[in-house]
Amino acid sequence: MTQTFKKVRALTGMKDVLPDESASWESLEATVRDWLGSYGYRNMRTPVLEHTRLFARGIGEVTDIVEKEMYSFTDALNNEQLTMRPEFTAGMVRACIEHNLLYERPHRVWAMGPVFRHEKPQRGRYRQFHQIDVEALGFAGPDIDAELIIMLGRLWKTLGLNDIRLEMNSLGQADERAAHRDALVRHLERHKSVLDDEAQRRMHTNPLRVLDTKNPAMQEMANAAPRLFDFLGSESRAHFDGVCQRLADAGIAYTLNTRLVRGLDYYNLTVFEWVTDRLGAQGTVCGGGRYDGLIELLGGKPAPAVGFAIGMERLLDLCTQSAVEVEQSECDVYMVHQGADAQRMAAQLAERLRDGGLRVIVHAGPGSFKAQFKRADGSGARVAVILAADELAAGSASVKWLRATDDDTQPQQETIPFDCLVTELKLKV
Ligand code: HAM
C-alpha cells in the first residue's frame, strides 16, 4: 500500500513569486538595470555561499546578523563552515580582493539577488529576501557618497514614489568613535538600572547599538546619551558637509538622525537610510554608507568604499501602496484558430510576429472560439489574430482589437493579408 505524501510547503519567511506578481519584479529589475547603467555601474555576481568567517569578520562578530541571523552549516563533505550570504557587501569585497580589481582603478559595481537572514518574519521582513546592492569601490571623496544618494533620488522619481525620506548621519573615524564610546559606556553605566537584558549584555561589546533600542523604558536614557556626531573632528565634519552640500545642489532634502548607526560594523563617516511611513514597522527601504576599512580588514590593500542596498520586497510593496502601475499583460498578440491547418498557420505566423519584436501566445489545446477569446482577453493582449478556413482560403488574417486605442479611426476588426501582418501589427500594437 502506498503511503499518502504529506504536502511540502515553502519554508517560513520564504516566499514564492507567482506569475501574476512577477510582472512587477521584472519591471522593477528592468528599470533598475537602466538606472544603474545610466550612472556607469556594472553588474557582478558572487556566490550565495561563502565561508562563515568572511561575514563574521566583515559584518562584525557582535552584530545581530552574525550573532543570531545567519544560515550557517558545516559542509559534511569537507567540514568547512559555510554561510548563505546575509548581504552582498562582504562577498563583493572578497571577490574584488581575490581578483585584484582594486589594484588597477576604482570600480562602480552592483548586484541583485536573494539574501538570507533568520529573522522573525512579518510584513517586510523575510528570511529569504532580495537586495539591489550597489558599491563604489576605491573612491574616497564625498562626491561619490552624494552620487549614490542622488542616484537613489532619481530611482524613486522614475518609480513615481514620493513618500520616502532620507535620514543621514556620520559615524566619523575609529578614534572619534573610541572617544564617543568611552563617554557612552560611562553614560550607560550611570543608567544601568533602566537597561534591559539585551542592553546590559551589549553595553560593553556594542554600546552604539544599545541606542537603537525600541524599548520605551530606555528612550529617555537614549535621548540623553552623548551623540557621536558631537565627537567628530574637522575632517569628518568636512566630509559630511561635502556630502550635504552636493545633496542641496541636487535639491535632495534630508534629516540628520544622530541615532542612525546601522546594523553592520563596517561603516565609517557617511551612513544613510531611506525610510517610508507607508510600510508599517519595516519602513527602511534602503540603507548604506561608507566603509573605508573593510577592504583592508578582509585582507586587501587599503582602499576606501561606499555603497547601499535596497530591499526589493519593501520597494515593491511601496510601489503597490503608491499605486504605481505595472504592465501586467502576458503578450501583445493572442492567436485564435480553428482547425488543424489554421493551427499550423497560426504557429508559423506567430514566429514571424516574434521576429518583428512582438510578444505572441498561440492558443494551445482545444477550445471554442468563445473560450479562446476569453483566454485572449484574460491575457491582456492588445489584439487577437483569428485564423479559420475562410482566412486560410483568402490568405488574410482577421484581426480584432481587444483594448481601446488612442486612434478613434481604428476599426474594431479588420482583415490583413498574411504578408503584411508583421508590418501592420508592429505599427499598430
Ligand atoms: P541592511 O540595512 O542590512 O544593509 O539591508 C539593506 C536593506 O535590505 C534594508 O534597508 C531593507 O530594505 C532590506 N532588508 C533587510 N533585512 C530584511 C529582511 N529580513 N526582509 C526584507 N528586507 C530586508 C546591508 O545589507 C548592507 N550590505 C548595505 C550596504 C551596501 N552598505 C554598503 N554597501
Side-chain angles (χ1 to χ4, degrees), residues 65 87-89 117 119 124-126 129 131 133-135 262 264 266-267 284-289 291 307-311 314:
I65 297 180
E87 58 123 35
F88 277 95
T89 313
R117 294 184 193 174
E119 295 193 80
R125 198 202 271 159
Y126 308 102
F129 59 100
Q131 286 187 342
D133 184 277
V134 179
E135 312 289 355
R262 310 265 309 122
L264 307 95
Y266 46 60
Y267 293 111
T284 308
V285 175
C286 169
Y291 52 95
F308 63 76
I310 300 172
R314 293 187 193 176

Short mmCIF file of all heavy atoms in Angstrom, two decimals, residues 65 87-89 117 119 124-126 129 131 133-135 262 264 266-267 284-289 291 307-311 314, ligand 1:
data_model
loop_
_atom_site.label_atom_id
_atom_site.label_comp_id
_atom_site.label_asym_id
_atom_site.label_seq_id
_atom_site.Cartn_x
_atom_site.Cartn_y
_atom_site.Cartn_z
N ILE A 65 23.12 40.21 12.96
CA ILE A 65 23.22 39.33 11.79
C ILE A 65 24.14 38.15 12.11
O ILE A 65 23.77 36.99 11.94
CB ILE A 65 23.74 40.11 10.55
CG1 ILE A 65 22.75 41.22 10.17
CG2 ILE A 65 23.99 39.16 9.38
CD1 ILE A 65 23.17 42.05 8.96
N GLU A 87 24.04 39.34 3.17
CA GLU A 87 24.15 40.64 2.50
C GLU A 87 25.18 40.46 1.38
O GLU A 87 25.85 39.42 1.32
CB GLU A 87 24.61 41.72 3.47
CG GLU A 87 25.95 41.43 4.14
CD GLU A 87 27.00 42.51 3.93
OE1 GLU A 87 26.66 43.68 3.89
OE2 GLU A 87 28.20 42.14 3.80
N PHE A 88 25.32 41.46 0.53
CA PHE A 88 26.24 41.33 -0.61
C PHE A 88 27.63 41.89 -0.35
O PHE A 88 28.61 41.44 -0.95
CB PHE A 88 25.67 42.09 -1.82
CG PHE A 88 24.66 41.31 -2.60
CD1 PHE A 88 23.31 41.47 -2.36
CD2 PHE A 88 25.06 40.42 -3.59
CE1 PHE A 88 22.36 40.77 -3.08
CE2 PHE A 88 24.13 39.71 -4.32
CZ PHE A 88 22.77 39.89 -4.07
N THR A 89 27.71 42.95 0.48
CA THR A 89 28.94 43.76 0.51
C THR A 89 30.20 42.92 0.78
O THR A 89 31.18 43.04 0.04
CB THR A 89 28.80 44.88 1.56
OG1 THR A 89 27.53 45.50 1.37
CG2 THR A 89 29.90 45.91 1.42
N ARG A 117 18.43 35.83 6.03
CA ARG A 117 18.62 36.17 7.44
C ARG A 117 17.53 35.49 8.24
O ARG A 117 16.35 35.60 7.90
CB ARG A 117 18.54 37.70 7.68
CG ARG A 117 19.66 38.45 7.01
CD ARG A 117 19.63 39.93 7.34
NE ARG A 117 20.52 40.65 6.44
CZ ARG A 117 20.64 41.97 6.38
NH1 ARG A 117 19.93 42.73 7.20
NH2 ARG A 117 21.47 42.54 5.52
N GLU A 119 15.40 35.86 10.61
CA GLU A 119 14.71 36.83 11.46
C GLU A 119 13.29 36.35 11.70
O GLU A 119 12.80 35.46 11.01
CB GLU A 119 14.67 38.20 10.78
CG GLU A 119 16.04 38.81 10.58
CD GLU A 119 15.94 40.26 10.19
OE1 GLU A 119 15.74 41.07 11.10
OE2 GLU A 119 16.06 40.59 9.00
N GLY A 124 7.30 42.76 5.39
CA GLY A 124 8.54 43.48 5.09
C GLY A 124 9.78 42.87 5.70
O GLY A 124 10.88 43.38 5.54
N ARG A 125 9.60 41.76 6.43
CA ARG A 125 10.78 41.11 6.99
C ARG A 125 10.70 39.61 6.71
O ARG A 125 9.80 38.93 7.20
CB ARG A 125 10.85 41.35 8.50
CG ARG A 125 12.25 41.08 9.04
CD ARG A 125 12.21 40.79 10.49
NE ARG A 125 12.34 41.98 11.30
CZ ARG A 125 11.93 42.02 12.57
NH1 ARG A 125 11.36 40.98 13.12
NH2 ARG A 125 12.08 43.12 13.26
N TYR A 126 11.60 39.15 5.89
CA TYR A 126 11.56 37.76 5.44
C TYR A 126 12.88 37.08 5.75
O TYR A 126 13.86 37.74 6.09
CB TYR A 126 11.25 37.71 3.94
CG TYR A 126 10.03 38.52 3.60
CD1 TYR A 126 10.15 39.78 3.03
CD2 TYR A 126 8.76 38.07 3.95
CE1 TYR A 126 9.03 40.57 2.79
CE2 TYR A 126 7.64 38.84 3.72
CZ TYR A 126 7.77 40.09 3.14
OH TYR A 126 6.67 40.86 2.92
N PHE A 129 15.11 37.22 1.28
CA PHE A 129 14.61 38.42 0.63
C PHE A 129 15.61 38.81 -0.45
O PHE A 129 16.61 38.11 -0.64
CB PHE A 129 14.36 39.55 1.65
CG PHE A 129 15.56 39.97 2.45
CD1 PHE A 129 16.28 41.10 2.12
CD2 PHE A 129 15.98 39.22 3.55
CE1 PHE A 129 17.39 41.49 2.86
CE2 PHE A 129 17.09 39.61 4.30
CZ PHE A 129 17.79 40.74 3.95
N GLN A 131 17.93 41.82 -2.51
CA GLN A 131 18.53 43.16 -2.45
C GLN A 131 19.05 43.59 -3.82
O GLN A 131 19.49 42.76 -4.62
CB GLN A 131 19.73 43.18 -1.49
CG GLN A 131 19.35 43.15 -0.01
CD GLN A 131 20.55 43.33 0.91
OE1 GLN A 131 21.70 43.15 0.50
NE2 GLN A 131 20.29 43.69 2.16
N ASP A 133 22.09 45.71 -4.69
CA ASP A 133 23.24 46.18 -3.93
C ASP A 133 24.16 46.96 -4.86
O ASP A 133 24.48 46.50 -5.96
CB ASP A 133 23.99 44.99 -3.34
CG ASP A 133 25.13 45.43 -2.47
OD1 ASP A 133 26.22 45.71 -3.02
OD2 ASP A 133 24.94 45.51 -1.24
N VAL A 134 24.58 48.13 -4.43
CA VAL A 134 25.42 48.99 -5.28
C VAL A 134 26.65 49.40 -4.48
O VAL A 134 26.52 49.83 -3.32
CB VAL A 134 24.61 50.24 -5.71
CG1 VAL A 134 25.45 51.16 -6.57
CG2 VAL A 134 23.34 49.82 -6.45
N GLU A 135 27.83 49.23 -5.05
CA GLU A 135 29.06 49.56 -4.34
C GLU A 135 29.98 50.39 -5.23
O GLU A 135 30.14 50.07 -6.41
CB GLU A 135 29.82 48.27 -3.93
CG GLU A 135 28.99 47.18 -3.25
CD GLU A 135 28.53 47.52 -1.83
OE1 GLU A 135 28.93 48.56 -1.29
OE2 GLU A 135 27.74 46.73 -1.27
N ARG A 262 23.09 52.01 11.94
CA ARG A 262 23.10 50.86 11.04
C ARG A 262 23.47 49.58 11.80
O ARG A 262 24.05 49.63 12.87
CB ARG A 262 24.04 51.08 9.85
CG ARG A 262 23.82 52.40 9.17
CD ARG A 262 22.89 52.33 7.98
NE ARG A 262 23.24 51.30 7.05
CZ ARG A 262 22.41 50.30 6.70
NH1 ARG A 262 21.21 50.21 7.22
NH2 ARG A 262 22.77 49.42 5.82
N LEU A 264 25.42 47.00 10.84
CA LEU A 264 26.63 46.29 10.45
C LEU A 264 27.83 47.13 10.89
O LEU A 264 27.75 48.36 10.88
CB LEU A 264 26.66 46.08 8.91
CG LEU A 264 25.40 45.42 8.33
CD1 LEU A 264 24.41 46.44 7.82
CD2 LEU A 264 25.76 44.44 7.22
N TYR A 266 30.88 47.66 9.72
CA TYR A 266 31.97 48.14 8.87
C TYR A 266 31.92 49.62 8.51
O TYR A 266 32.80 50.13 7.85
CB TYR A 266 32.11 47.30 7.61
CG TYR A 266 30.86 46.95 6.82
CD1 TYR A 266 30.05 47.93 6.27
CD2 TYR A 266 30.53 45.61 6.60
CE1 TYR A 266 28.93 47.60 5.53
CE2 TYR A 266 29.40 45.27 5.86
CZ TYR A 266 28.61 46.27 5.33
OH TYR A 266 27.51 45.93 4.58
N TYR A 267 30.89 50.33 8.96
CA TYR A 267 30.73 51.72 8.48
C TYR A 267 31.63 52.74 9.18
O TYR A 267 31.95 52.59 10.35
CB TYR A 267 29.28 52.15 8.65
CG TYR A 267 28.32 51.39 7.77
CD1 TYR A 267 27.40 50.50 8.31
CD2 TYR A 267 28.33 51.57 6.39
CE1 TYR A 267 26.52 49.80 7.50
CE2 TYR A 267 27.44 50.88 5.58
CZ TYR A 267 26.54 50.00 6.14
OH TYR A 267 25.68 49.32 5.33
N THR A 284 12.26 50.84 6.43
CA THR A 284 13.53 51.19 5.79
C THR A 284 13.64 50.47 4.45
O THR A 284 13.73 49.25 4.40
CB THR A 284 14.72 50.83 6.69
OG1 THR A 284 14.48 51.40 7.97
CG2 THR A 284 16.02 51.36 6.13
N VAL A 285 13.62 51.25 3.38
CA VAL A 285 13.63 50.65 2.05
C VAL A 285 15.07 50.45 1.58
O VAL A 285 15.38 49.53 0.83
CB VAL A 285 12.85 51.57 1.07
CG1 VAL A 285 12.93 51.05 -0.35
CG2 VAL A 285 11.40 51.67 1.52
N CYS A 286 15.96 51.33 2.05
CA CYS A 286 17.33 51.29 1.56
C CYS A 286 18.27 51.77 2.66
O CYS A 286 17.93 52.71 3.39
CB CYS A 286 17.43 52.20 0.34
SG CYS A 286 19.11 52.53 -0.21
N GLY A 287 19.42 51.13 2.78
CA GLY A 287 20.40 51.57 3.78
C GLY A 287 21.80 51.43 3.24
O GLY A 287 22.08 50.55 2.42
N GLY A 288 22.68 52.32 3.67
CA GLY A 288 24.06 52.20 3.20
C GLY A 288 24.98 53.16 3.87
O GLY A 288 24.60 53.83 4.85
N GLY A 289 26.19 53.25 3.34
CA GLY A 289 27.16 54.17 3.90
C GLY A 289 28.56 53.84 3.45
O GLY A 289 28.79 52.94 2.63
N TYR A 291 32.46 52.59 3.98
CA TYR A 291 33.14 51.54 4.75
C TYR A 291 34.60 51.48 4.33
O TYR A 291 35.06 50.53 3.72
CB TYR A 291 32.42 50.19 4.61
CG TYR A 291 32.16 49.74 3.19
CD1 TYR A 291 33.05 48.88 2.55
CD2 TYR A 291 31.04 50.16 2.49
CE1 TYR A 291 32.83 48.46 1.24
CE2 TYR A 291 30.80 49.74 1.20
CZ TYR A 291 31.71 48.89 0.58
OH TYR A 291 31.49 48.49 -0.71
N GLY A 307 28.63 52.32 -0.32
CA GLY A 307 27.59 51.59 -1.06
C GLY A 307 26.27 51.58 -0.32
O GLY A 307 26.14 52.17 0.75
N PHE A 308 25.30 50.89 -0.91
CA PHE A 308 23.99 50.77 -0.25
C PHE A 308 23.30 49.52 -0.77
O PHE A 308 23.72 48.94 -1.79
CB PHE A 308 23.10 51.99 -0.53
CG PHE A 308 22.76 52.19 -1.99
CD1 PHE A 308 21.80 51.42 -2.63
CD2 PHE A 308 23.40 53.18 -2.72
CE1 PHE A 308 21.49 51.62 -3.97
CE2 PHE A 308 23.10 53.39 -4.07
CZ PHE A 308 22.14 52.61 -4.69
N ALA A 309 22.25 49.11 -0.08
CA ALA A 309 21.39 48.04 -0.59
C ALA A 309 19.93 48.43 -0.40
O ALA A 309 19.56 49.02 0.62
CB ALA A 309 21.69 46.72 0.12
N ILE A 310 19.13 48.09 -1.42
CA ILE A 310 17.68 48.32 -1.37
C ILE A 310 17.03 46.97 -1.12
O ILE A 310 17.41 45.98 -1.74
CB ILE A 310 17.18 48.84 -2.74
CG1 ILE A 310 17.87 50.15 -3.11
CG2 ILE A 310 15.67 48.98 -2.75
CD1 ILE A 310 17.56 50.61 -4.53
N GLY A 311 16.03 46.93 -0.23
CA GLY A 311 15.25 45.70 -0.04
C GLY A 311 14.15 45.67 -1.10
O GLY A 311 13.27 46.53 -1.10
N ARG A 314 10.39 45.30 0.00
CA ARG A 314 9.86 46.55 0.58
C ARG A 314 9.62 47.58 -0.51
O ARG A 314 8.62 48.29 -0.50
CB ARG A 314 10.83 47.10 1.63
CG ARG A 314 10.90 46.18 2.83
CD ARG A 314 11.73 46.79 3.94
NE ARG A 314 12.03 45.75 4.92
CZ ARG A 314 12.79 45.92 5.97
NH1 ARG A 314 13.34 47.09 6.19
NH2 ARG A 314 13.02 44.93 6.81
P1 HAM B 1 20.92 46.41 5.53
O1 HAM B 1 20.42 47.68 6.13
O2 HAM B 1 21.19 45.29 6.45
O3 HAM B 1 22.24 46.80 4.74
O4 HAM B 1 19.91 45.90 4.41
C1 HAM B 1 19.55 46.74 3.34
C2 HAM B 1 18.06 46.68 3.10
O5 HAM B 1 17.62 45.32 2.95
C3 HAM B 1 17.20 47.20 4.23
O6 HAM B 1 17.11 48.60 4.19
C4 HAM B 1 15.86 46.55 3.94
O7 HAM B 1 15.17 47.27 2.94
C5 HAM B 1 16.27 45.21 3.37
N1 HAM B 1 16.15 44.15 4.39
C6 HAM B 1 16.97 43.90 5.42
N2 HAM B 1 16.54 42.82 6.12
C7 HAM B 1 15.41 42.39 5.52
C8 HAM B 1 14.51 41.31 5.77
N3 HAM B 1 14.70 40.44 6.75
N4 HAM B 1 13.44 41.17 4.93
C9 HAM B 1 13.24 42.03 3.90
N5 HAM B 1 14.08 43.06 3.63
C10 HAM B 1 15.16 43.24 4.43
C11 HAM B 1 23.01 45.90 4.07
O8 HAM B 1 22.70 44.78 3.81
C12 HAM B 1 24.34 46.49 3.60
N6 HAM B 1 25.09 45.41 2.93
C13 HAM B 1 24.08 47.67 2.67
C14 HAM B 1 25.36 48.26 2.14
C15 HAM B 1 25.88 48.03 0.90
N7 HAM B 1 26.18 49.05 2.79
C16 HAM B 1 27.21 49.35 1.99
N8 HAM B 1 27.05 48.72 0.86
#
